[in-house]
Amino acid sequence: MRGSTHLFSGLAAASLLSTNLPGLGMAALGALLPDIDQPGSMISREVAGVPFGRIGRGIVGIAILGAWHQTRLPLLLPAGVAFVALAFLPHRGITHSALGLVLAWLAIKTLGWPQVPFLIGYGIHLAEDLLTPSGIPLLYPWQERMRIPLAQTGGIIDRTLGLAALALFLIAVGKGLLVTLR
């Protein structure tokens, strides 16, 4: 699925629970994070702002580890290790699995950030990629890819799902704003 479909679907699902900004931000992060291992993904291009290929992820990881070595800030060590590891991982590997979801959730929990919207966004991403012909290794490290091949990335179902999710999100946010304004 396209990054915009993942983003709008994660936001739409999370907005059914709440439209608070921190929660929506975490839903967006969860919806995009599984594709951090893909250089051309929305999270790599738009969020990181640089081509985030294997070498880029490795360099960022080494730089973060260097910062950890200088400051000993606890968050920097696992972040640096994660980016170095991402330099060697294939797209739709561990980040597209239940194990990846659990590891990301543990990181979010440790930071004290909103967990439920993050899990919703991440889970929606996995569910959508499950619908593509290439599927996902949901039970990683078992390499068997699970799939329900109903949609092609960029195809009509992908685009329709993205537009429907955007509409649902806008309706939910609009209702939230109307309640706030009253």
Side-chain angles (χ1 to χ4, degrees):
M1 297 284 179
R2 296 169 310 135
S4 58
T5 299
H6 289 312
L7 177 63
F8 297 146
S9 297
L11 287 171
S15 69
L16 296 174
L17 296 176
S18 172
T19 56
N20 73 58
L21 196 53
L24 292 176
M26 291 309 295
L29 177 63
L32 296 175
L33 190 61
D35 283 340
I36 192 78
D37 60 5
Q38 174 69 3
S41 69
M42 181 180 276
I43 194 166
S44 296
R45 283 189 336 264
E46 305 298 331
V47 177
V50 295
F52 221 45
R54 291 183 188 276
I55 293 171
R57 291 190 298 268
I59 290 169
V60 167
I62 291 168
I64 292 171
L65 288 172
W68 171 78
H69 182 71
Q70 294 294 319
T71 65
R72 297 294 192 224
L73 289 171
L75 176 63
L76 294 179
L77 180 59
V81 170
F83 273 98
V84 169
L86 282 170
F88 298 98
L89 297 174
H91 180 53
R92 288 197 181 170
I94 191 172
T95 63
H96 283 74
S97 71
L99 177 59
L101 182 138
V102 169
L103 293 174
W105 166 70
L106 289 172
I108 296 302
K109 182 179 179 185
T110 302
L111 293 170
W113 294 352
Q115 299 168 47
V116 172
F118 175 81
L119 289 171
I120 290 171
Y122 205 113
I124 291 286
H125 184 117
L126 297 183
E128 288 175 335
D129 280 355
L130 191 64
L131 299 176
T132 65
S134 57
I136 59 171
L138 189 60
L139 301 176
Y140 185 93
W142 186 41
Q143 294 297 316
E144 186 69 28
R145 289 180 174 264
M146 297 180 183
R147 61 185 62 88
I148 306 167
L150 298 175
Q152 291 285 342
T153 299
I156 188 73
I157 293 174
D158 179 3
R159 293 180 183 279
T160 303
L161 182 61
L163 287 173
L166 174 60
L168 180 61
F169 172 65
L170 292 174
I171 290 167
V173 169
K175 285 184 176 181
L177 288 175
L178 289 176
V179 170
T180 305
L181 295 174
R182 288 185 185 165

